[in-house]
């Protein structure tokens, strides 16, 4: 299964926190949203979709494909706070 973690237009409500990083890279507790998705869906192919100005930064920071345009089986908004019950 392939998973796409994406930013939507709600990033404007999180300014200035999302000015230089995507919403899925914000910390909520110990982990970022991207790290939580990686833990709950370990072994699954993860891609990221973010603003054009952050593509190179996220490629370097995460090592994941960013803005590839490939279709995914599951799309998760970056502002989603995953819990174990929601992930399953």
């Amino acid at each position: 299964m392939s998973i796409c973690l994406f930013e939507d237009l709600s990033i404007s409500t999180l300014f200035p926190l999302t000015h230089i990083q995507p919403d899925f890279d914000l910390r909520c507790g110990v982990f970022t949203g991207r790290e939580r998705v990686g833990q709950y869906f370990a072994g699954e192919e993860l891609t990221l979709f973010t603003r054009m100005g952050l593509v190179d930064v996220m490629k370097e920071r995460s090592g994941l494909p960013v803005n590839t345009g490939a279709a995914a089986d599951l799309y998760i908004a970056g502002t989603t706070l995953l819990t174990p019950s929601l992930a399953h």
Side-chain angles (χ1 to χ4, degrees), residues 43-86:
E44 304 295 339
E45 180 185 342
L46 180 63
T47 60
L48 306 175
F49 191 83
T50 188
R51 292 167 274 162
M52 293 306 296
L54 297 175
V55 171
D56 293 333
V57 172
M58 287 312 301
K59 282 182 184 178
E60 183 179 326
R61 188 183 295 173
S62 68
L64 297 170
V66 181
N67 291 15
T68 59
D73 299 321
L74 178 64
Y75 292 88
I76 301 175
T79 54
T80 304
L81 295 176
L82 284 180
T83 61
S85 60
L86 182 60

Side-chain angles (χ1 to χ4, degrees), residues 2-15:
S2 62
I3 300 168
C4 179
L5 189 57
F6 68 95
E7 277 189 307
D8 58 7
L9 296 177
S10 67
I11 60 168
S12 62
T13 62
L14 296 171
F15 279 144

